[in-house]
Amino acid sequence: MSWRCVICFVFMALTLKSLLSHINRAHGRSPDFRVICGIDGCAEEYRVFNSFYYHIKRTHALYLSTGCPPRSGTTETNRELTEQPDRDPSQIGLENFDTPIFSGCTKREPLTTNLVHQPAHGVVVFEEPQGSNSTGDAVPPTGDKQRDSDSVTQNTDMRSVNDIVSGVQQYQASLVDVLKNQMKKVFEKHSGSMEQLQAEAMATFDNFTDPFLRVATTYMQNRTIQELFSQVEPEEIVISHTACRVKSGNSRVLAIKKKCFYYVPLLQSLEQLFTDSRILSMIAIGPQKCKDGFLYDIVDGELFKSHPLFSVRPTALQLILYTDEIEICNPLGSHASKNKLLMVYYTLGNIDPKYRSKLAAIRLLAMAKANYLTQCGVDVILERIQKDLDLLYHGVKIQTVNGEMDMFGALISICGDTLAQQELAGFKEGVGFAYSKCRHCECTFEDMQRDFTENSFVRRTLDMHVRQCLEIEKARTDFLKNSLKTTYGINRKSKLVDFPAFDLIQQTPQDIMHIVLEGIAPMEIKCVLKHLILSGQMDLDMFNDAMLSFPYSPLDIRDRPCPITVNTLASNDNKLKQSSGQMLVLLKILPFLMNNVEGNVYMQLILEVIEITQILFAPVISLQTISRLRLLIEQHLKHFKQLFPDNNIIPKQHYLLHLPTQIMSLGPMVRHMCMRFESKHCFFKQWSSKLNFKNVCKSLVKHNQMFECSQNVNGPQHPIFSSERELGPVLEVKNIQHVQGKMRDFVGDDKMQHVVSVKWLVLNGNKYTCKKSLIVTKVNDNVPEFGLIQDILVVNSSFYCFEYQPYDTLHLNRDFLAYEVDVPNLAQATELVDAEKLVDFTSYYSFSFKSSMYVPVKYYLGDVIALHRSTNDS
């Protein structure tokens, strides 16, 4: 007999164990999980799947051994399929925990026959063949294996889709034949005046409509998706034409080949995004500004407050663009750049920062082959983007989930690495060939080596930039034009100048990933390591051994830095051959690795780099911290020049001088960081290995649009919000009175219907693990108080809280730039805190070093603490 899951009303299984495996994987970790047994009238209710499984194993073992219910009986599950009216389609797939899983089952002797029989109630019963292996279908949950298999989403290619459709069609045909034979037997039992009824009933089977008829082929599947799910069709825009020879029979003939790029219409893409009501509500609510004196997001910056559109319409769409070139093939060899692609993404600054970093919030806008743009430039793409921005700036009607609405919007910033931003803005990509080496000021190489304050340089303005572009265009000779280009550091007048209310000087922010993690940090660390090793103050092998044996946290282990070789230090470049993630981890642990040179002036230089990096990565920055950051950068550059007088100040070090002003204008640096944008490249790189390269841009854009289309119909909520909460293995809480007491003492409410415990919990991208993670629970004299999570509780399926053991924070150790904590007696009473009321939502880890316990931090916590205290005081 087939078993149907009455929780989601979608899954069907041939054996009981298969059904139990589905309930465990799909519903077992839901905070609302609740099942009623129902076998032989059993009324036992369970909140944890483990307990439910072992109850069946102990009490109803007969059903696990046979895999089928009794032949003489049936289940409520299958009677629903035959006797009850159809379930509301909008409820199919949603979880319903109120129906008994196996009500109506009665015991009988085990089945030993292998057949398909038709009981009196008309449900086709599929019995498991004798001797089949039924032990592999369902096993009690053992932890991470089932979690991993359930969390991985399979990408199915079109051939697999066609196979699935063909298989279902065959199953459907055989099902119709079986039903037809059953109807014949039914009518054979009735004689007399039933001929007309029999003819009409049999005709219904002959006129049966194949539901897969519209999706039988790949073309029909694509067409159906476009009709039903509002897929946004990309535009193919011709850049230029070229003459080439193509094969025609046994000869090659001359033909005209088009060079195109693909553009996803911005307004239609926004319409598709606004089919989700929760995203639209974020836009309607408007900007949530931080308290005075603090900057948390773009809306707290001076640019947003003075912008001609956003200052009048605060709910207008804040568009953030990102551009980068990616190599989808082998980056080595003579054909390295043949399939290099220029990618343009966008996201909305209106989306809350905790959701904005989700890959589903980053959407494709344009794609082109890089070699197609070598002659005509990137302005052809910017010109098409400008058309949509002009319409959006002056208001356009967009169809949303709440009906047609008037939408306004403008470009707030363009993100990218230095090369991409220089190219888009019309500056020289290689600043080494320019006299003015900065797009924010008119800085020369000589000035860069001696001046370390921003006020020492002449700031560029948009009016000045336009005037310089006009001088270049009006130059009468090529020699004069090239001289002006070198002097001003400008190649052309960019189309960005024509974007509505866009200032390409202020709104092309520097990226801390490329400036710090891939520029300044590896260069200066390399200089210091080389000096210390050559002077005999440090041994490279001991340094690498300490790096390999360092007790990394579970979050940092995946970005563990690689050992630094002698060849890496001896090279003439400024690289340590570490990724951005590895550099971020290395900066956290570097003071502990170099503790044998503590107090050294070169070690002090490293601590300055780490302190500057922590401030730049902070999610909240106060005005006082911005002023301190200016002084830190000035002192650091002077210090570097004193210790390494033979080393030149590189442009990325100079760019540090402009970061405090950039923060004042556009908010914290992390709101414009490229790290999450670059993660979006993985989607296209993975798909490129499955495609032909005849027109790789068209193929990738097509798959991306189908993928984004599916995101709007994938479950009850958009993927941006799909991973707000992820639960680990669920355990039953035995001491309910203990939890009630903690809730009453620390939350002020002990009313709870049920409570479960989980081993780990993911809230908005932050993972908390029992017995390992530290959380910031309180503030004491401007010092964060940490606590070790002992248990993670889910109360009434909706309230998440941590039971933690408080740690005593001694001070911020300036030698390690980490907090030194004291672990109290393990017998100390634990406390409870609401997961939504933490001081800081980042999960921390501690480790022991030289008989002390330290908690390293990724960013500066001072302003996070100050904002928390200010909010509570008000």
Side-chain angles (χ1 to χ4, degrees), residues 9-69:
F9 212 73
V10 172
F11 180 81
M12 294 187 67
L14 300 181
T15 64
L16 174 59
K17 291 188 176 181
S18 297
L19 177 62
L20 292 177
S21 295
H22 161 76
I23 294 175
N24 179 34
R25 292 193 305 268
H27 312 295
R29 292 179 185 171
S30 172
D32 300 315
F33 182 78
R34 180 172 65 90
V35 293
I36 304 171
C37 179
I39 298 180
D40 298 326
C42 180
E44 292 293 330
E45 179 180 334
Y46 295 93
R47 298 279 182 179
V48 180
F49 178 82
N50 295 45
S51 304
F52 173 56
Y53 175 83
Y54 288 114
H55 162 75
I56 296 178
K57 188 174 180 180
R58 290 190 303 266
T59 312
H60 312 290
L62 178 64
Y63 296 92
L64 286 179
S65 61
T66 62
C68 298

Side-chain angles (χ1 to χ4, degrees), residues 269-314:
S269 181
L270 291 172
E271 273 191 3
Q272 186 185 64
L273 184 64
F274 293 153
T275 56
D276 186 85
S277 58
R278 192 169 175 185
I279 297 177
L280 189 62
S281 65
M282 288 186 183
I283 310 298
I285 291 175
Q288 304 296 314
K289 295 185 178 180
C290 198
K291 290 184 66 68
D292 292 340
F294 296 91
L295 290 89
Y296 174 73
D297 202 1
I298 301 173
V299 297
D300 301 314
E302 296 176 350
L303 180 68
F304 184 89
K305 298 175 182 178
S306 61
H307 194 276
L309 177 64
F310 299 126
S311 59
V312 178
R313 299 181 181 273

Side-chain angles (χ1 to χ4, degrees), residues 42 66 86 219 261 361 431 459 590 594 625 645 687 691 696 719 753 777 845 872:
C42 180
T66 62
D86 293 338
Y219 171 77
F261 76 90
V431 296
R459 294 292 307 276
L590 194 58
M594 302 176 61
T625 303
W687 264 111
L691 306 172
V696 65
Q753 298 176 352
T777 59
Y845 294 86
N872 290 342

Side-chain angles (χ1 to χ4, degrees), residues 459-728:
R459 294 292 307 276
R460 291 183 188 261
T461 62
L462 182 60
D463 294 337
M464 179 190 300
H465 178 77
V466 173
R467 184 173 64 253
Q468 292 173 348
C469 291
L470 291 177
E471 291 182 17
I472 294 174
E473 292 176 357
K474 293 180 179 179
R476 297 183 178 181
T477 62
D478 291 340
F479 176 79
L480 179 58
K481 179 178 292 188
N482 292 331
S483 298
L484 290 175
K485 287 182 179 181
T486 303
T487 302
Y488 297 143
I490 299 173
N491 278 337
R492 72 185 195 286
K493 181 181 178 181
S494 172
K495 281 291 181 181
L496 294 179
V497 175
D498 301 326
F499 278 22
F502 184 79
D503 188 337
L504 60 81
I505 304 299
Q506 295 187 46
Q507 294 175 255
T508 54
Q510 300 287 350
D511 175 53
I512 52 177
M513 185 187 79
H514 293 95
I515 299 302
V516 178
L517 300 182
E518 296 181 1
I520 298 171
M523 186 209 71
E524 297 191 2
I525 292 175
K526 184 176 182 178
C527 291
V528 171
L529 289 179
K530 187 184 298 186
H531 172 81
L532 294 178
I533 292 172
L534 292 177
S535 61
Q537 301 180 53
M538 178 184 291
D539 183 74
L540 183 60
D541 292 334
M542 294 181 62
F543 178 83
N544 287 329
D545 290 341
M547 185 189 301
L548 293 174
S549 61
F550 190 84
Y552 295 97
S553 70
L555 296 180
D556 293 339
I557 191 67
R558 58 187 178 186
D559 290 322
R560 179 175 58 184
C562 300
I564 300 173
T565 64
V566 176
N567 292 335
T568 301
L569 290 180
S571 61
N572 294 325
D573 56 21
N574 296 324
K575 301 178 180 179
L576 280 180
K577 296 184 179 180
Q578 310 281 348
S579 66
S580 299
Q582 290 174 321
M583 282 303 307
L584 197 56
V585 175
L586 180 60
L587 288 172
K588 288 171 58 175
I589 67 173
L590 194 58
F592 299 95
L593 303 180
M594 302 176 61
N595 67 93
N596 56 336
V597 292
E598 186 178 349
N600 191 295
V601 290
Y602 294 92
M603 187 61 209
Q604 185 62 36
L605 182 72
I606 296 297
L607 292 176
E608 292 173 0
V609 176
I610 297 174
E611 187 172 6
I612 292 172
T613 304
Q614 289 181 352
I615 295 176
L616 294 178
F617 274 85
V620 178
I621 300 181
S622 65
L623 299 180
Q624 293 81 0
T625 303
I626 295 176
S627 300
R628 185 164 68 91
L629 179 63
R630 292 183 190 273
L631 296 177
L632 284 174
I633 293 174
E634 178 183 354
Q635 295 172 1
H636 173 70
L637 293 180
K638 291 180 180 179
H639 195 191
F640 176 82
K641 198 62 179 177
Q642 292 173 358
L643 296 179
F644 302 99
D646 297 333
N647 292 56
N648 293 323
I649 297 293
I650 62 175
K652 288 184 178 181
Q653 288 177 298
H654 167 77
Y655 297 157
L656 284 176
L657 299 176
H658 301 296
L659 297 188
T661 301
Q662 178 180 315
I663 296 173
M664 290 287 297
S665 178
L666 293 171
M669 297 290 298
V670 292
R671 306 305 176 209
H672 305 275
M673 191 167 58
C674 297
M675 190 171 288
R676 290 305 294 164
F677 283 105
E678 292 198 354
S679 299
K680 186 74 173 181
H681 296 334
C682 297
F683 172 82
F684 297 98
K685 290 181 178 180
Q686 292 171 356
W687 264 111
S688 63
S689 61
K690 307 174 184 178
L691 306 172
N692 65 71
F693 286 80
K694 186 174 183 179
N695 192 341
V696 65
C697 290
K698 183 176 181 179
S699 300
L700 289 176
V701 171
K702 171 187 172 183
H703 282 285
N704 177 78
Q705 293 310 105
M706 293 187 65
F707 178 72
E708 290 187 351
C709 174
S710 67
Q711 288 183 325
N712 295 289
V713 294
N714 184 20
Q717 58 183 355
H718 197 275
I720 293 178
F721 313 107
S722 61
S723 299
E724 282 186 275
R725 296 177 178 87
E726 295 181 18
L727 305 181

Side-chain angles (χ1 to χ4, degrees), residues 768-831:
Y768 308 94
T769 307
C770 291
K771 311 293 185 181
K772 294 182 180 179
S773 299
L774 294 177
I775 52 177
V776 182
T777 59
K778 300 176 183 178
V779 176
N780 185 12
D781 294 333
N782 294 326
V783 176
E785 291 189 1
F786 297 92
L788 177 65
I789 296 178
Q790 297 291 346
D791 202 357
I792 302 175
L793 302 173
V794 183
V795 181
N796 297 335
S797 306
S798 59
F799 183 76
Y800 299 84
C801 54
F802 301 118
E803 184 180 2
Y804 67 94
Q805 177 189 1
Y807 279 11
D808 295 330
T809 305
L810 303 180
H811 59 91
L812 176 65
N813 192 306
R814 302 298 304 180
D815 294 331
F816 301 117
L817 290 179
Y819 287 96
E820 186 175 351
V821 297
D822 181 33
V823 181
N825 188 355
L826 295 178
Q828 181 179 354
T830 59
E831 299 181 10

